[in-house]
Amino acid sequence: MTRTVPPTPTALPTTRPTAHPAALPLGDDALVLSHRLGEWAGNAPVLEEEVALANIALDLLGQARILLSMAGDEDELAYLREERAFRNLQLVEQPNGDFAHTIARQLYFSTYQRLLHEALAAGDTPFAPLAAKAVKEVAYHQDHAEQWTLRLGDGTRESRARMSRATEALWRYTGEMFQPLDGLDLDWAGIRDAWTRSVSGVLEAATLALPEGPQSGAWRAGAGRDGLHTESFGRMLAEMQHLHRSHPGASW
């Protein structure tokens, strides 16, 4: 009788002692959203979107590699950490849902990420060079999300209803984006105000109402920066880490 040998427990990776404290959460945001968008491969509604979402996922993966390398070993940080060690926003780990949910998530996050990168590019932190390059990519991500929000919100009765449900459902995760990150002296209130103006303008043009759910306070959602994640994140992480953990040290 063949007995399955349990895998050797893997030591949790550690970050570099000199790493900037914001490198890990920013890298986790990009990595997790990249994986979520990659799940659309072979499932996008039209071929053009297959390419567009894959390109956005690759842009984010490139950002994640740089940021996680600033924090430690990128492969160990991506594939060998447990769920509670990730510091990404709960917004980016939300399941793709239907296409409207993916677009609403993109609208909220890409608007935030563009404003954040603009602020970082203008500063003197180690993130300035990356942010100066990434802001151009993220501006495209934001434009893509805005155009689809307009098409779905101001489209058919069905597309408008789905887009409305998506913006409402994800709104409660948006407040976490504006919590200050350690080591980043930014005008977080200003970023939040600019984000609200931008998203409000897009939703209004798409004939969609600005959600009224809690964005802050006791009833808001979002504690990903503290290592608390939603149920779906564990399943996503198991899939993302499966190959690396099953074949440690393997190479092509």
Side-chain angles (χ1 to χ4, degrees):
M1 177 178 179
T2 302
R3 191 178 66 176
T4 301
V5 179
T8 303
T10 305
L12 287 178
T14 56
T15 56
R16 290 176 177 149
T18 57
H20 193 287
L24 192 62
L26 294 179
D28 285 348
D29 285 347
L31 174 69
V32 171
L33 186 55
S34 172
H35 187 84
R36 279 298 189 209
L37 292 175
E39 292 174 347
W40 275 108
N43 299 297
V46 293
L47 186 58
E48 185 180 6
E49 275 311 294
E50 188 96 5
V51 176
L53 294 175
N55 281 335
I56 294 172
L58 286 174
D59 287 343
L60 292 169
L61 185 61
Q63 295 171 23
R65 291 194 62 189
I66 295 172
L67 289 162
L68 293 182
S69 294
M70 294 168 69
D73 183 286
E74 60 179 282
D75 288 328
E76 289 189 10
L77 290 171
Y79 296 125
L80 297 180
R81 270 184 299 163
E82 304 294 341
E83 180 178 333
R84 291 292 297 270
F86 277 79
R87 292 294 180 266
N88 57 276
L89 298 163
Q90 286 189 355
L91 174 66
V92 300
E93 72 192 40
Q94 294 308 302
N96 288 328
D98 63 18
F99 190 64
H101 271 75
T102 291
I103 293 301
R105 189 183 60 202
Q106 283 300 108
L107 176 68
Y108 291 161
F109 182 75
S110 63
T111 303
Y112 155 77
Q113 202 183 31
R114 179 183 63 77
L115 294 166
L116 177 64
H117 282 318
E118 285 179 349
L120 291 174
D124 57 359
T125 69
F127 304 110
L130 167 65
K133 179 178 182 297
V135 74
K136 300 173 185 174
E137 299 172 345
V138 176
Y140 162 74
H141 304 172
Q142 183 183 2
D143 181 67
H144 174 267
E146 289 181 354
Q147 294 304 315
W148 268 109
T149 300
L150 295 173
R151 291 173 66 179
L152 296 176
D154 198 21
T156 66
R157 179 181 297 180
E158 176 68 15
S159 70
R160 185 175 186 280
R162 290 192 180 208
M163 198 64 216
S164 181
R165 285 197 294 269
T167 54
E168 289 276 357
L170 294 175
W171 183 259
R172 59 199 296 263
Y173 296 99
T174 58
E176 189 181 15
M177 293 189 293
F178 310 108
Q179 293 176 1
L181 287 170
D182 288 346
L184 291 184
D185 184 20
L186 301 177
D187 178 11
W188 293 99
I191 291 175
R192 182 177 195 142
D193 290 344
W195 181 91
T196 303
R197 286 195 300 272
S198 178
V199 169
S200 299
V202 175
L203 294 183
E204 182 179 1
T207 71
L208 297 166
L210 190 69
E212 296 179 352
Q215 204 182 21
S216 61
W219 296 104
R220 71 172 177 84
R225 297 297 194 216
D226 300 322
L228 300 177
H229 299 283
T230 52
E231 183 178 355
S232 62
F233 183 61
R235 293 192 293 272
M236 192 214 85
L237 205 59
E239 180 179 344
M240 188 179 80
Q241 297 181 334
H242 169 71
L243 186 63
H244 187 94
R245 286 179 179 267
S246 299
H247 305 279
S251 61
W252 293 101

